[in-house]
Amino acid sequence: MPRPTNTPLPPLKYDRNLLLFGPEDGVLVHDPDDGFLEGLYVSDVRVDVLIEATFLNPYGSESRYWEHGFLLKDGPGGYRQYWVSIDSDGRWDTYHRLGEREALGRHYEFSDDIDRRPGGKNHLQIVVIDEKGWVYINGNLQGGLDLSVDTGGEDVYLFSNDEYDGETKYENFAVWKWDSSLASSFSDLDPNAAPTPTPTPNPKVPIFGPVSGTIPHDSDDGFLEVFDGPNIDGDVMVEVTFFNPFAPNESHWNYGILFDSRLPETYHHIEVHSLFGGSYNHWRRGGRDDKRRGRIAEDLHGLNFQKDEENHIRLIIVGDAGHLYVNDRRAGILNFNLGNVQNPDEINLVIDDFDGEGFRYSLGGHTKFEDFTVWRWHPSLFELPDDD
């Protein structure tokens, strides 16, 4: 609703003559049971505009999901609009609808510019020029919108997706007629260029897997038994669940992950085994002229030992640090800068199926694994401790 005529406008950062609506402060009270978004309409916005508001997070991202933003070109009949929002997962999200509930042309990316703290403020701005749009979060350009699809409407709607009880406060909700004098406040805005970015991969979609299978034992061939995984480039997170091939009274067992290099005999090998009450090794080798060496028999608490019991391994490589978790317990941080192993570019599963020291792989059989999966690393995948 418009500001009462007897209420003075606050100091404005743009020319007052460009103001079409607002600025308005308010509160959106959540009603999770009503089946509707909570929000505020501005009707019949037909010109090139700047739409902006500052949203206050209703709660912390670690406790409840929140989402708020704008509907653009909102039309009659329901579900005819463009959607632009930010959320507690750290994403900005865009799509449009044309009368059905499914999202069309969906594009979302993660942004470090989103303040996800409880009570944190996020200033969301959208510049609309002809059939193009630009999205800014806290003053930083995120990407663009293709607004060429006709939704049949010209309304703007400020909204909160009220999945949980609470309230979302907003400040300085305003719509401005776009003018070239505003351009100096918006970095990288080029009205002559198509603003829509090339979508970046969804960090929560793996680049490999999940894959399940078995690795046969062959103690006589003199080689490690390997299950080939993907090529990689950069930081990654790897997960796999192994099943113990032997009972404790039959044989020891081992399994792990091999980070291989294109250079012969150049690798990092992370090995979990049943020796010494449960341990792990970090082997490395820097080429044919180097010796196999490593961090040997570090204690590993919480390991399962019985035949067919499972052990889950998660390894996160960030820079030169490898963060190892076994059965969701933090095992240690591994130094991937040791041993002159330059830029491992392949991830494989591996079993060292030799006989000796309590290992009896001559019994034959196989080691089963499930859900071998690799992601490009993104902080949204897993929360590493602050002291890392």
Side-chain angles (χ1 to χ4, degrees):
M1 60 183 177
R3 182 179 296 273
T5 56
N6 60 346
T7 303
L9 286 171
L12 301 179
K13 56 183 177 180
Y14 306 123
D15 185 343
R16 188 183 303 274
N17 294 321
L18 302 176
L19 189 63
L20 301 177
F21 173 86
E24 286 285 332
D25 299 342
V27 177
L28 303 177
V29 179
H30 303 176
D31 185 354
D33 299 324
D34 67 358
F36 298 99
L37 301 173
E38 307 303 326
L40 178 65
Y41 271 110
V42 180
S43 299
D44 203 21
V45 180
R46 294 176 178 268
V47 296
D48 296 343
V49 291
L50 162 64
I51 304 163
E52 64 176 349
T54 298
F55 295 89
L56 281 68
N57 301 338
Y59 14 71
S61 59
E62 72 285 349
S63 58
R64 290 179 173 180
Y65 178 81
W66 51 256
E67 183 178 19
H68 30 249
F70 301 115
L71 304 183
L72 311 180
K73 297 183 179 292
D74 196 46
Y79 301 108
R80 303 186 68 88
Q81 72 270 126
Y82 288 89
W83 175 292
V84 183
S85 67
I86 58 176
D87 67 23
S88 55
D89 289 332
R91 302 179 303 185
W92 64 279
D93 189 4
T94 71
Y95 57 84
H96 65 274
R97 289 175 168 172
L98 294 174
E100 64 275 348
R101 293 177 181 268
E102 289 76 15
L104 302 173
R106 188 160 202 161
H107 171 87
Y108 68 80
E109 294 191 28
F110 286 80
S111 174
D112 292 333
D113 295 317
I114 297 175
D115 187 344
R116 301 162 62 194
R117 298 172 298 175
K121 292 186 176 184
N122 288 291
H123 187 205
L124 181 61
Q125 297 171 298
I126 301 173
V127 175
V128 177
I129 301 176
D130 294 326
E131 295 179 343
K132 301 173 185 177
W134 290 258
V135 178
Y136 289 79
I137 300 172
N138 294 323
N140 296 314
L141 178 63
Q142 308 299 308
L145 309 171
D146 178 359
L147 302 174
S148 60
V149 175
D150 184 8
T151 61
E154 297 293 340
D155 294 349
V156 172
Y157 187 62
L158 174 145
F159 76 88
S160 175
N161 193 355
D162 56 342
E163 183 176 350
Y164 299 99
D165 290 324
E167 61 181 33
T168 298
K169 297 179 181 179
Y170 61 90
E171 298 174 348
N172 295 320
F173 174 33
V175 179
W176 306 82
K177 182 179 178 180
W178 180 256
D179 182 82
S180 59
S181 64
L182 278 62
S184 61
S185 300
F186 294 89
S187 64
D188 306 322
L189 191 153
D190 182 356
N192 298 314
T196 304
T198 301
T200 58
N202 178 359
K204 294 190 176 181
V205 174
I207 61 174
F208 175 85
V211 174
S212 301
T214 60
I215 305 176
H217 305 158
D218 185 353
S219 61
D220 296 327
D221 66 358
F223 296 101
L224 302 176
E225 307 306 325
V226 176
F227 182 89
D228 292 337
N231 294 326
I232 60 169
D233 180 17
D235 298 341
V236 293
M237 182 173 82
V238 188
E239 288 191 285
V240 62
T241 297
F242 286 102
F243 293 81
N244 301 334
F246 304 117
N249 63 341
E250 295 176 320
S251 172
H252 282 303
W253 44 257
N254 77 88
Y255 34 67
I257 303 172
L258 184 71
F259 291 82
D260 219 342
S261 170
R262 295 178 184 177
L263 301 175
E265 302 298 325
T266 305
Y267 57 79
H268 287 277
H269 174 195
I270 313 304
E271 177 185 46
V272 171
H273 56 76
S274 59
L275 285 169
F276 314 119
S279 306
Y280 74 90
N281 301 334
H282 174 196
W283 302 107
R284 62 188 185 275
R285 187 171 180 182
R288 288 173 174 166
D289 296 330
D290 192 19
K291 295 180 179 180
R292 175 180 166 98
R293 63 191 76 200
R295 177 177 176 178
I296 302 173
E298 294 284 347
D299 289 345
L300 195 55
H301 302 290
L303 201 64
N304 296 314
F305 291 92
Q306 298 301 317
K307 184 175 181 178
D308 295 328
E309 285 189 329
E310 61 187 65
N311 289 297
H312 176 260
I313 299 174
R314 176 186 292 114
L315 189 57
I316 300 168
I317 308 299
V318 182
D320 293 329
H323 306 265
L324 177 63
Y325 290 78
V326 178
N327 295 333
D328 292 322
R329 298 181 64 160
R330 189 183 187 195
I333 301 178
L334 314 178
N335 188 348
F336 271 61
N337 194 35
L338 298 175
N340 195 32
V341 183
Q342 301 298 318
N343 300 320
D345 57 7
E346 185 177 328
I347 299 177
N348 304 314
L349 303 184
V350 63
I351 294 171
D352 193 348
D353 61 340
F354 69 94
D355 277 347
E357 298 187 43
F359 293 91
R360 299 183 59 208
Y361 279 97
S362 55
L363 293 172
H366 60 262
T367 297
K368 178 183 175 183
F369 67 89
E370 287 186 352
D371 299 329
F372 175 28
T373 314
V374 181
W375 293 264
R376 296 190 190 281
W377 171 245
H378 188 278
S380 65
L381 294 172
F382 187 81
E383 186 174 354
L384 290 172
D386 291 338
D387 60 353
D388 292 344

Short mmCIF file of all heavy atoms in Angstrom, two decimals, residues 277-315:
data_model
loop_
_atom_site.label_atom_id
_atom_site.label_comp_id
_atom_site.label_asym_id
_atom_site.label_seq_id
_atom_site.Cartn_x
_atom_site.Cartn_y
_atom_site.Cartn_z
N GLY A 277 43.59 -52.93 15.76
CA GLY A 277 42.33 -52.46 16.32
C GLY A 277 41.63 -51.41 15.50
O GLY A 277 40.73 -50.73 15.99
N GLY A 278 42.02 -51.29 14.24
CA GLY A 278 41.41 -50.30 13.35
C GLY A 278 42.32 -49.11 13.14
O GLY A 278 42.57 -48.34 14.08
N SER A 279 42.85 -48.94 11.92
CA SER A 279 43.81 -47.87 11.64
C SER A 279 43.64 -47.40 10.20
O SER A 279 42.91 -48.00 9.41
CB SER A 279 45.25 -48.35 11.84
OG SER A 279 45.45 -48.91 13.11
N TYR A 280 44.35 -46.31 9.88
CA TYR A 280 44.41 -45.88 8.48
C TYR A 280 45.83 -45.47 8.15
O TYR A 280 46.61 -45.07 9.03
CB TYR A 280 43.43 -44.74 8.19
CG TYR A 280 43.84 -43.39 8.73
CD1 TYR A 280 44.61 -42.51 7.98
CD2 TYR A 280 43.43 -42.98 10.00
CE1 TYR A 280 44.96 -41.27 8.47
CE2 TYR A 280 43.78 -41.74 10.49
CZ TYR A 280 44.55 -40.89 9.73
OH TYR A 280 44.92 -39.67 10.23
N ASN A 281 46.20 -45.59 6.90
CA ASN A 281 47.50 -45.16 6.38
C ASN A 281 47.29 -44.10 5.31
O ASN A 281 46.28 -44.12 4.61
CB ASN A 281 48.27 -46.33 5.74
CG ASN A 281 48.52 -47.47 6.70
OD1 ASN A 281 48.56 -47.28 7.90
ND2 ASN A 281 48.69 -48.67 6.15
N HIS A 282 48.25 -43.22 5.21
CA HIS A 282 48.32 -42.29 4.08
C HIS A 282 49.64 -42.55 3.36
O HIS A 282 50.69 -42.05 3.75
CB HIS A 282 48.24 -40.84 4.57
CG HIS A 282 48.43 -39.83 3.47
ND1 HIS A 282 48.71 -38.51 3.72
CD2 HIS A 282 48.37 -39.94 2.11
CE1 HIS A 282 48.84 -37.86 2.58
NE2 HIS A 282 48.63 -38.70 1.59
N TRP A 283 49.58 -43.39 2.31
CA TRP A 283 50.76 -43.68 1.51
C TRP A 283 50.90 -42.64 0.40
O TRP A 283 49.92 -42.08 -0.08
CB TRP A 283 50.64 -45.06 0.87
CG TRP A 283 50.46 -46.21 1.81
CD1 TRP A 283 49.32 -46.93 2.04
CD2 TRP A 283 51.46 -46.78 2.65
NE1 TRP A 283 49.54 -47.90 2.96
CE2 TRP A 283 50.86 -47.85 3.36
CE3 TRP A 283 52.81 -46.51 2.88
CZ2 TRP A 283 51.53 -48.64 4.27
CZ3 TRP A 283 53.50 -47.29 3.78
CH2 TRP A 283 52.88 -48.34 4.47
N ARG A 284 52.12 -42.43 -0.02
CA ARG A 284 52.38 -41.54 -1.14
C ARG A 284 53.64 -42.00 -1.87
O ARG A 284 54.52 -42.65 -1.29
CB ARG A 284 52.56 -40.09 -0.67
CG ARG A 284 53.73 -39.88 0.26
CD ARG A 284 53.76 -38.48 0.85
NE ARG A 284 54.96 -38.28 1.65
CZ ARG A 284 55.08 -38.62 2.92
NH1 ARG A 284 54.07 -39.21 3.55
NH2 ARG A 284 56.22 -38.40 3.56
N ARG A 285 53.69 -41.66 -3.14
CA ARG A 285 54.87 -41.95 -3.93
C ARG A 285 54.99 -40.90 -5.00
O ARG A 285 54.00 -40.56 -5.67
CB ARG A 285 54.79 -43.34 -4.55
CG ARG A 285 56.08 -43.76 -5.25
CD ARG A 285 56.05 -45.21 -5.66
NE ARG A 285 57.31 -45.59 -6.32
CZ ARG A 285 57.55 -46.80 -6.82
NH1 ARG A 285 56.62 -47.74 -6.73
NH2 ARG A 285 58.69 -47.06 -7.41
N GLY A 286 56.21 -40.37 -5.19
CA GLY A 286 56.44 -39.26 -6.11
C GLY A 286 57.08 -39.63 -7.41
O GLY A 286 57.75 -38.80 -8.03
N GLY A 287 56.89 -40.87 -7.87
CA GLY A 287 57.46 -41.30 -9.15
C GLY A 287 58.23 -42.60 -9.02
O GLY A 287 58.42 -43.14 -7.93
N ARG A 288 58.69 -43.12 -10.16
CA ARG A 288 59.38 -44.40 -10.17
C ARG A 288 60.67 -44.38 -9.38
O ARG A 288 61.11 -45.42 -8.86
CB ARG A 288 59.65 -44.81 -11.62
CG ARG A 288 58.39 -45.25 -12.36
CD ARG A 288 58.65 -45.50 -13.82
NE ARG A 288 57.47 -46.05 -14.48
CZ ARG A 288 57.33 -46.10 -15.80
NH1 ARG A 288 58.29 -45.65 -16.60
NH2 ARG A 288 56.22 -46.62 -16.33
N ASP A 289 61.29 -43.22 -9.28
CA ASP A 289 62.55 -43.12 -8.54
C ASP A 289 62.35 -42.85 -7.06
O ASP A 289 63.32 -42.73 -6.31
CB ASP A 289 63.42 -42.01 -9.14
CG ASP A 289 63.83 -42.31 -10.57
OD1 ASP A 289 63.96 -43.52 -10.90
OD2 ASP A 289 64.02 -41.37 -11.36
N ASP A 290 61.10 -42.74 -6.64
CA ASP A 290 60.79 -42.46 -5.24
C ASP A 290 60.35 -43.75 -4.56
O ASP A 290 59.92 -44.71 -5.20
CB ASP A 290 59.66 -41.42 -5.16
CG ASP A 290 59.48 -40.86 -3.75
OD1 ASP A 290 60.42 -41.00 -2.93
OD2 ASP A 290 58.40 -40.32 -3.47
N LYS A 291 60.46 -43.76 -3.25
CA LYS A 291 59.99 -44.90 -2.47
C LYS A 291 58.56 -44.65 -2.01
O LYS A 291 58.15 -43.52 -1.81
CB LYS A 291 60.89 -45.11 -1.24
CG LYS A 291 62.32 -45.51 -1.57
CD LYS A 291 63.11 -45.69 -0.28
CE LYS A 291 64.54 -46.10 -0.58
NZ LYS A 291 65.34 -46.29 0.66
N ARG A 292 57.84 -45.74 -1.83
CA ARG A 292 56.53 -45.66 -1.21
C ARG A 292 56.74 -45.36 0.27
O ARG A 292 57.47 -46.05 0.96
CB ARG A 292 55.78 -46.99 -1.38
CG ARG A 292 54.44 -47.08 -0.67
CD ARG A 292 53.85 -48.46 -0.96
NE ARG A 292 52.74 -48.80 -0.10
CZ ARG A 292 51.46 -48.67 -0.41
NH1 ARG A 292 51.13 -48.18 -1.59
NH2 ARG A 292 50.50 -49.04 0.42
N ARG A 293 56.14 -44.32 0.73
CA ARG A 293 56.30 -43.91 2.12
C ARG A 293 54.99 -43.36 2.62
O ARG A 293 54.05 -43.19 1.85
CB ARG A 293 57.42 -42.88 2.25
CG ARG A 293 57.15 -41.58 1.50
CD ARG A 293 58.39 -40.71 1.44
NE ARG A 293 59.33 -41.23 0.43
CZ ARG A 293 60.62 -40.93 0.41
NH1 ARG A 293 61.14 -40.18 1.36
NH2 ARG A 293 61.40 -41.39 -0.54
N GLY A 294 54.89 -43.10 3.94
CA GLY A 294 53.62 -42.58 4.38
C GLY A 294 53.46 -42.45 5.87
O GLY A 294 54.35 -42.74 6.67
N ARG A 295 52.28 -42.02 6.22
CA ARG A 295 51.81 -41.88 7.58
C ARG A 295 51.11 -43.19 7.93
O ARG A 295 50.08 -43.54 7.36
CB ARG A 295 50.83 -40.70 7.63
CG ARG A 295 50.17 -40.41 8.94
CD ARG A 295 49.33 -39.15 8.75
NE ARG A 295 48.54 -38.81 9.92
CZ ARG A 295 47.77 -37.73 10.01
NH1 ARG A 295 47.69 -36.91 8.98
NH2 ARG A 295 47.09 -37.47 11.11
N ILE A 296 51.67 -43.95 8.85
CA ILE A 296 51.31 -45.35 9.01
C ILE A 296 50.54 -45.59 10.30
O ILE A 296 50.93 -45.12 11.36
CB ILE A 296 52.57 -46.23 8.98
CG1 ILE A 296 53.33 -46.00 7.65
CG2 ILE A 296 52.22 -47.70 9.13
CD1 ILE A 296 54.67 -46.70 7.61
N ALA A 297 49.45 -46.36 10.17
CA ALA A 297 48.72 -46.91 11.31
C ALA A 297 48.28 -45.87 12.31
O ALA A 297 48.53 -45.99 13.50
CB ALA A 297 49.55 -48.00 11.99
N GLU A 298 47.62 -44.81 11.82
CA GLU A 298 46.97 -43.88 12.72
C GLU A 298 45.69 -44.53 13.26
O GLU A 298 44.94 -45.16 12.53
CB GLU A 298 46.61 -42.58 11.99
CG GLU A 298 47.80 -41.77 11.53
CD GLU A 298 48.46 -41.02 12.67
OE1 GLU A 298 47.84 -40.94 13.76
OE2 GLU A 298 49.57 -40.51 12.48
N ASP A 299 45.45 -44.37 14.57
CA ASP A 299 44.27 -45.00 15.18
C ASP A 299 42.99 -44.52 14.51
O ASP A 299 42.86 -43.36 14.11
CB ASP A 299 44.21 -44.67 16.68
CG ASP A 299 45.28 -45.38 17.47
OD1 ASP A 299 45.88 -46.33 16.93
OD2 ASP A 299 45.54 -44.97 18.63
N LEU A 300 42.04 -45.44 14.41
CA LEU A 300 40.78 -45.14 13.75
C LEU A 300 39.66 -45.69 14.60
O LEU A 300 39.37 -46.89 14.59
CB LEU A 300 40.76 -45.77 12.36
CG LEU A 300 39.69 -45.30 11.38
CD1 LEU A 300 39.73 -43.79 11.20
CD2 LEU A 300 39.87 -45.99 10.04
N HIS A 301 39.04 -44.83 15.39
CA HIS A 301 37.98 -45.26 16.30
C HIS A 301 36.65 -45.37 15.56
O HIS A 301 36.41 -44.68 14.57
CB HIS A 301 37.85 -44.28 17.46
CG HIS A 301 39.11 -44.12 18.25
ND1 HIS A 301 39.62 -45.10 19.05
CD2 HIS A 301 39.99 -43.07 18.33
CE1 HIS A 301 40.74 -44.68 19.62
NE2 HIS A 301 40.99 -43.45 19.19
N GLY A 302 35.79 -46.26 16.06
CA GLY A 302 34.46 -46.40 15.50
C GLY A 302 34.38 -47.24 14.25
O GLY A 302 33.36 -47.21 13.54
N LEU A 303 35.44 -48.02 13.94
CA LEU A 303 35.44 -48.87 12.76
C LEU A 303 34.66 -50.15 13.05
O LEU A 303 34.73 -50.71 14.14
CB LEU A 303 36.87 -49.21 12.37
CG LEU A 303 37.13 -49.66 10.94
CD1 LEU A 303 36.82 -48.54 9.97
CD2 LEU A 303 38.58 -50.11 10.78
N ASN A 304 33.91 -50.63 12.06
CA ASN A 304 33.21 -51.91 12.17
C ASN A 304 34.08 -53.01 11.60
O ASN A 304 34.71 -52.84 10.55
CB ASN A 304 31.88 -51.84 11.41
CG ASN A 304 30.93 -50.83 12.02
OD1 ASN A 304 30.75 -50.78 13.23
ND2 ASN A 304 30.31 -50.01 11.18
N PHE A 305 34.09 -54.19 12.26
CA PHE A 305 35.05 -55.24 11.92
C PHE A 305 34.43 -56.53 11.39
O PHE A 305 35.11 -57.33 10.75
CB PHE A 305 35.91 -55.59 13.15
CG PHE A 305 36.84 -54.51 13.56
CD1 PHE A 305 36.46 -53.57 14.51
CD2 PHE A 305 38.10 -54.39 13.00
CE1 PHE A 305 37.33 -52.56 14.90
CE2 PHE A 305 38.96 -53.38 13.37
CZ PHE A 305 38.58 -52.46 14.32
N GLN A 306 33.17 -56.79 11.69
CA GLN A 306 32.59 -58.08 11.34
C GLN A 306 32.36 -58.20 9.84
O GLN A 306 32.23 -57.21 9.13
CB GLN A 306 31.27 -58.28 12.10
CG GLN A 306 31.42 -58.30 13.61
CD GLN A 306 32.36 -59.39 14.10
OE1 GLN A 306 32.31 -60.53 13.61
NE2 GLN A 306 33.21 -59.06 15.05
N LYS A 307 32.32 -59.44 9.36
CA LYS A 307 32.09 -59.70 7.95
C LYS A 307 30.76 -59.08 7.51
O LYS A 307 29.74 -59.19 8.21
CB LYS A 307 32.09 -61.20 7.69
CG LYS A 307 31.95 -61.56 6.21
CD LYS A 307 32.07 -63.05 5.99
CE LYS A 307 31.97 -63.40 4.51
NZ LYS A 307 32.13 -64.86 4.27
N ASP A 308 30.77 -58.44 6.37
CA ASP A 308 29.62 -57.79 5.73
C ASP A 308 29.16 -56.52 6.45
O ASP A 308 28.22 -55.87 5.98
CB ASP A 308 28.42 -58.75 5.61
CG ASP A 308 28.71 -59.91 4.67
OD1 ASP A 308 29.48 -59.71 3.71
OD2 ASP A 308 28.19 -61.01 4.91
N GLU A 309 29.80 -56.16 7.58
CA GLU A 309 29.51 -54.84 8.16
C GLU A 309 30.10 -53.76 7.26
O GLU A 309 31.07 -53.99 6.52
CB GLU A 309 30.08 -54.74 9.57
CG GLU A 309 29.29 -55.50 10.60
CD GLU A 309 29.75 -55.21 12.01
OE1 GLU A 309 30.96 -54.94 12.23
OE2 GLU A 309 28.89 -55.25 12.92
N GLU A 310 29.53 -52.57 7.32
CA GLU A 310 29.93 -51.51 6.41
C GLU A 310 30.70 -50.41 7.13
O GLU A 310 30.49 -50.15 8.32
CB GLU A 310 28.72 -50.92 5.70
CG GLU A 310 27.69 -50.28 6.62
CD GLU A 310 26.43 -49.89 5.86
OE1 GLU A 310 25.73 -50.78 5.35
OE2 GLU A 310 26.17 -48.65 5.79
N ASN A 311 31.59 -49.77 6.39
CA ASN A 311 32.32 -48.59 6.85
C ASN A 311 32.27 -47.53 5.77
O ASN A 311 32.59 -47.80 4.60
CB ASN A 311 33.78 -48.95 7.18
CG ASN A 311 33.91 -49.80 8.42
OD1 ASN A 311 33.57 -49.37 9.51
ND2 ASN A 311 34.38 -51.04 8.27
N HIS A 312 31.85 -46.35 6.18
CA HIS A 312 31.65 -45.24 5.24
C HIS A 312 32.85 -44.31 5.32
O HIS A 312 33.26 -43.88 6.39
CB HIS A 312 30.38 -44.49 5.60
CG HIS A 312 30.14 -43.28 4.75
ND1 HIS A 312 30.43 -41.99 5.16
CD2 HIS A 312 29.63 -43.16 3.50
CE1 HIS A 312 30.11 -41.15 4.21
NE2 HIS A 312 29.62 -41.82 3.19
N ILE A 313 33.43 -44.00 4.16
CA ILE A 313 34.59 -43.11 4.07
C ILE A 313 34.19 -41.84 3.33
O ILE A 313 33.59 -41.90 2.25
CB ILE A 313 35.77 -43.78 3.34
CG1 ILE A 313 36.21 -45.04 4.09
CG2 ILE A 313 36.94 -42.82 3.19
CD1 ILE A 313 37.27 -45.84 3.34
N ARG A 314 34.51 -40.71 3.92
CA ARG A 314 34.34 -39.41 3.27
C ARG A 314 35.70 -38.71 3.29
O ARG A 314 36.33 -38.59 4.33
CB ARG A 314 33.32 -38.54 3.99
CG ARG A 314 33.19 -37.13 3.40
CD ARG A 314 32.28 -36.24 4.22
NE ARG A 314 30.90 -36.68 4.15
CZ ARG A 314 30.22 -37.14 5.18
NH1 ARG A 314 30.80 -37.26 6.38
NH2 ARG A 314 28.96 -37.51 5.04
N LEU A 315 36.15 -38.24 2.13
CA LEU A 315 37.42 -37.53 2.04
C LEU A 315 37.20 -36.25 1.25
O LEU A 315 36.72 -36.28 0.11
CB LEU A 315 38.47 -38.40 1.36
CG LEU A 315 39.91 -37.89 1.37
CD1 LEU A 315 40.40 -37.62 2.79
CD2 LEU A 315 40.83 -38.89 0.70
#
